[in-house]
Amino acid sequence: MASTSISRVVPASPDKVWSLIGGFDTLPDWLPYIPESTALEGGRVRRLANPDGDVIVERLVEFNEAERHYSYAILEAPFPVNGYVSTLRVHAVPGRDDVAEVQWSGRFNPDGATEDEVVDLFAGIYADGLDALHKTLAA
């Protein structure tokens, strides 16, 4: 199983960051790659569309409001992996209440691609996503 993790410090308190990204159906609010999200099964599943029209279906597998993190599994996507589970977390930065650290990590099995290719793919998605989050919060 392969994995990758990307972290960024963003210009907002952990509570403000979590209020933006903590909803499982809120990706379009901060991630330009996902302009559309539809909640299904009472909010436990989200059906996403990217600008190319690709469909991504993900299931929420863990949610912790108090600790500000959630994990999800991909059920359907155009990515060369299986067994994908990812976690999005918001951490406080010691001694600072005006910034937060956001960590996006995932583990997965390559399927039709090399481990390096899929690690690079998701590291890029996570980095671009956290850069977009930073821009949204700095605006």
Side-chain angles (χ1 to χ4, degrees):
M1 183 163 274
S3 65
T4 189
S5 181
I6 302 291
S7 295
R8 292 278 188 277
V9 172
V10 296
S13 71
D15 287 341
K16 181 175 180 183
V17 175
W18 183 247
S19 71
L20 176 61
I21 72 172
F24 189 56
D25 195 38
T26 64
L27 287 179
D29 295 343
W30 60 274
L31 189 61
Y33 179 71
I34 302 295
E36 181 184 325
S37 178
T38 304
L40 306 168
E41 295 184 25
R44 305 281 302 166
V45 172
R46 61 187 178 193
R47 183 184 186 281
L48 310 170
N50 70 17
D52 297 330
D54 295 323
V55 171
I56 303 162
V57 179
E58 299 170 336
R59 175 175 297 282
L60 184 65
V61 295
E62 181 184 358
F63 184 87
N64 189 312
E65 181 79 29
E67 295 181 12
R68 295 186 293 258
H69 67 85
Y70 69 80
S71 298
Y72 61 94
I74 288 180
L75 304 178
E76 176 187 336
F79 305 127
V81 296
N82 62 55
Y84 177 100
V85 176
S86 184
T87 301
L88 196 57
R89 289 182 190 279
V90 178
H91 299 283
V93 175
R96 301 281 304 266
D97 59 4
D98 60 331
V99 298
E101 180 185 9
V102 180
Q103 178 187 34
W104 200 348
S105 60
R107 61 186 191 279
F108 35 81
N109 296 308
D111 186 0
T114 68
E115 183 171 318
D116 286 344
E117 288 170 335
V118 293
V119 166
D120 289 348
L121 170 68
F122 287 106
I125 289 170
Y126 300 165
D128 290 349
L130 294 179
D131 288 346
L133 175 63
H134 188 283
K135 287 179 188 168
T136 298
L137 291 166

